Amino acid sequence: GFFKSYAVEVDVKDASNVTCLYAKWMMSFLINYETNSSDYKNTTLNLSSNVTHNGSVCGNDTQAALVAVQFGEGHSWSANFTKNNETYQGDFIIFTYNTNDTAVFPDAKRKGPVTVVVKDTMGPVQLNNVFVCHSADFLEAENVTQIFWNVTVQAFVQNGTISKKETRCPADTPTPAPTILPTTASTTTLSPVPTTTPKPVENPETGNYSLKNGNKTCLLATVGLQLNVSQDKPLLININPKTTVADGVCGNTSATLKLNDGNSTLIGF
């Protein structure tokens, strides 16, 4: 799947009508579910353009802050944050998907809402700092992979103003540029730079990707991958196996392989 989702923005106000909790992010869900024929299928659930924010709470020293959204045919997602001395952190996420949504689960054996809870979702962030993470993050629990990117969140906002101080996730930390030593000064005649024709995109390099179940390899894939994305104009993207991380899970009747190239390109098989 090539994930495409709507951005969500939640701005929670307190009794004085000033911002106490702010969050903006994008997310998508990979769900493995049982069908009427007792086999398992993977499906992708993306956010729709119609998202409600009922149930979000500011929080205080004794009560957790809560971001809650509802979307589609009976799906919901929420994340709570607690404050401890000089920091706040994400404690758990509750995601509920509804298999009565036949557009996403056309042949689901189990009907109705299914709830998944993930704990320890975000490490401590200094109070009056906004947490920012543009890189993709994956949370897996109970046959569901939650994928987040372009995340901005600040809980327990002080004085109603979003902070300009950022705490970035480790994945966003850039690699230091190499040190270039100064050269001895000399007089050089510069020739005009020749005009070059853009090189066509070459065939993608073949990568070897694998998954393990315990100590045993349960999935092997040897493949070269190229995406042809047609938006304003066609764009070819080669997936570089040297910078691509493979993740996923093997089950008794199905397996999921997820490839993340570190540049917000996510591919799921």
Side-chain angles (χ1 to χ4, degrees):
F2 191 80
F3 305 125
K4 185 174 182 181
S5 185
Y6 289 89
V8 188
E9 186 173 21
V10 179
D11 189 349
V12 184
K13 308 286 187 180
D14 63 13
S16 302
N17 199 34
V18 297
T19 298
C20 60
L21 174 61
Y22 177 81
K24 186 176 182 180
W25 73 102
M26 298 186 76
M27 63 181 174
S28 184
F29 306 91
L30 288 176
I31 304 170
N32 186 258
Y33 70 98
E34 187 177 8
T35 67
N36 287 317
S37 57
S38 296
D39 61 351
Y40 283 80
K41 284 185 178 179
N42 289 312
T43 189
T44 302
L45 176 60
N46 294 317
L47 267 67
S48 61
S49 57
N50 297 320
V51 178
T52 57
H53 313 136
N54 300 323
S56 297
V57 177
C58 288
N60 52 41
D61 291 341
T62 58
Q63 182 184 15
L66 183 71
V67 174
V69 297
Q70 304 82 38
F71 59 98
E73 300 295 324
H75 314 297
S76 63
W77 181 94
S78 65
N80 93 315
F81 304 88
T82 54
K83 182 165 58 170
N84 182 15
N85 296 327
E86 299 300 320
T87 63
Y88 66 92
Q89 66 182 42
D91 282 348
F92 57 83
I93 286 174
I94 298 177
F95 169 53
T96 298
Y97 60 94
N98 185 5
T99 57
N100 286 323
D101 185 350
T102 55
V104 182
F105 308 96
D107 52 354
K109 183 174 183 179
R110 177 181 177 180
K111 298 296 184 181
V114 181
T115 298
V116 176
V117 179
V118 183
K119 297 181 179 179
D120 301 324
T121 56
M122 188 181 82
V125 177
Q126 195 73 22
L127 285 175
N128 203 33
N129 275 29
V130 58
F131 175 78
V132 177
C133 191
H134 296 302
S135 302
D137 188 21
F138 298 82
L139 296 178
E140 296 187 28
E142 302 179 39
N143 294 331
V144 175
T145 301
Q146 303 182 46
I147 306 155
F148 307 90
W149 67 101
N150 289 347
V151 175
T152 301
V153 60
Q154 184 178 356
F156 307 101
V157 176
Q158 299 177 9
N159 302 320
T161 303
I162 305 300
S163 177
K164 297 186 183 299
K165 300 177 183 177
E166 291 185 354
T167 296
R168 300 297 289 263
C169 63
D172 277 3
T173 304
T175 303
T179 302
I180 301 175
L181 298 176
T183 57
T184 304
S186 62
T187 302
T188 306
T189 302
L190 298 179
S191 301
V193 178
T195 302
T196 58
T197 303
K199 289 178 59 179
V201 177
E202 299 175 351
N203 290 332
E205 184 178 347
T206 300
N208 295 302
Y209 309 103
S210 64
L211 298 178
K212 287 187 178 294
N213 190 355
N215 294 325
K216 296 182 178 180
T217 299
C218 58
L219 185 149
L220 287 170
T222 300
V223 61
L225 292 170
Q226 183 181 85
L227 303 181
N228 187 335
V229 184
S230 297
Q231 293 182 335
D232 297 332
K233 59 182 180 180
L235 174 65
L236 294 179
I237 303 172
N238 283 343
I239 302 302
N240 184 356
K242 295 178 181 177
T243 59
T244 298
V245 177
D247 193 7
V249 62
C250 295
N252 292 328
T253 58
S254 66
T256 300
L257 174 66
K258 295 171 295 180
L259 301 179
N260 179 4
D261 76 341
N263 294 310
S264 297
T265 301
L266 313 172
I267 307 175
F269 297 97

